[in-house]
Amino acid sequence: METNVEIRRLLDVMPASGRMMTKIVIKPEQAKVIDATFPLPWNRERPIYINFDLWRRLTKAQRDLLLLRTVSWLIGVKWFKPDIYQGMAIAGILGTFVESAQADPVGIVVAGGLTTLAMVRIWRTNRSQQTELDADQAAIRVAQRRGYSEAEAAQHLLSAIEGVAKIEGRSGLEFIELIRSQNLRAIAGLSSVSVPESFDK
């Protein structure tokens, strides 16, 4: 596998929003096959780090789904979207400024506390297990536009999760990977048991 050719191919596989927001970075020294750090609000670019020495051990379909899943997770993290917690955070920030201008210590504490609570909730929502499952489903939807059936895409992503664990020398899957795998088996038609819709919401 020639790295630059593979990067160009992966960019073609990505949705347009992924090409705009993410960047593939070659990182041969990392122990993980593919990695991405949780994007904070001030990060303009969302890098995806790939160890291509390990990456080439996966099949083309596994690589496609693994990349699409990582991209879907990165672009799925929303810090600024209209909901009650965003409104609370904005109200808290504005209230802090107003109370600071009036030198009201009680008001500052209340407004600051409101901001903190709202930001913690936004953070937890973006880091939730449901967000992980949503990223899998978003990747499968994009893969369907790339010629995969829903069941095929789910199977390839499932085998990629298991393959990555072996390549990285892990003895087993992490808790969230086990949940994702069960959900993917249900989507692929390999199991009648899926993760409940209310899971982690």
Side-chain angles (χ1 to χ4, degrees), residues 46-59:
R46 301 182 176 193
I48 298 170
Y49 304 101
I50 299 177
N51 180 333
F52 282 93
D53 293 331
L54 304 178
W55 183 253
R56 61 174 46 94
R57 298 188 200 174
L58 298 167
T59 67

Side-chain angles (χ1 to χ4, degrees), residues 63-187:
R63 297 193 308 264
D64 286 354
L65 268 297
L66 204 53
L67 177 83
L68 288 175
R69 197 272 169 188
T70 304
V71 169
S72 296
W73 177 73
L74 284 171
I75 64 179
V77 173
K78 306 287 188 191
W79 282 98
F80 305 106
K81 61 181 179 181
D83 66 13
I84 187 167
Y85 298 108
Q86 298 283 352
M88 284 172 60
I90 292 168
I93 291 167
L94 292 174
T96 302
F97 282 124
V98 170
E99 298 301 335
S100 295
Q102 295 178 355
D104 179 2
V106 175
I108 292 169
V109 170
V110 171
L114 181 65
T115 303
T116 302
L117 287 172
M119 294 302 288
V120 166
R121 179 61 188 171
I122 293 166
W123 171 269
R124 287 184 62 199
T125 299
N126 282 322
R127 298 289 299 219
S128 70
Q129 292 163 338
Q130 185 61 47
T131 301
E132 300 281 346
L133 297 177
D134 291 345
D136 287 345
Q137 292 176 338
I140 290 168
R141 286 194 297 272
V142 177
Q144 288 179 274
R145 298 198 295 268
R146 302 293 184 266
Y148 295 93
S149 71
E150 183 182 41
E152 285 173 340
Q155 286 176 353
H156 291 311
L157 185 51
L158 175 62
S159 65
I161 292 170
E162 294 165 349
V164 163
K166 289 178 185 173
I167 291 168
E168 293 176 355
R170 291 190 269 133
S171 58
L173 299 180
E174 296 171 359
F175 176 70
I176 186 59
E177 290 174 326
L178 291 170
I179 293 169
R180 290 173 56 210
S181 295
Q182 183 57 47
N183 198 50
L184 289 168
R185 282 190 188 92
I187 294 170

Side-chain angles (χ1 to χ4, degrees), residues 9-78:
R9 190 187 74 77
L10 294 174
L11 290 171
D12 287 339
V13 170
M14 279 189 201
S17 55
R19 286 192 293 272
M20 287 188 297
M21 293 181 69
T22 65
K23 178 184 178 183
I24 295 174
V25 178
I26 302 167
K27 199 169 181 183
E29 69 275 13
Q30 76 179 14
K32 292 187 174 182
V33 176
I34 185 170
D35 196 21
T37 55
F38 183 76
L40 296 171
W42 49 86
N43 296 138
R44 290 185 63 196
E45 265 189 353
R46 301 182 176 193
I48 298 170
Y49 304 101
I50 299 177
N51 180 333
F52 282 93
D53 293 331
L54 304 178
W55 183 253
R56 61 174 46 94
R57 298 188 200 174
L58 298 167
T59 67
K60 177 177 170 287
Q62 288 173 332
R63 297 193 308 264
D64 286 354
L65 268 297
L66 204 53
L67 177 83
L68 288 175
R69 197 272 169 188
T70 304
V71 169
S72 296
W73 177 73
L74 284 171
I75 64 179
V77 173
K78 306 287 188 191

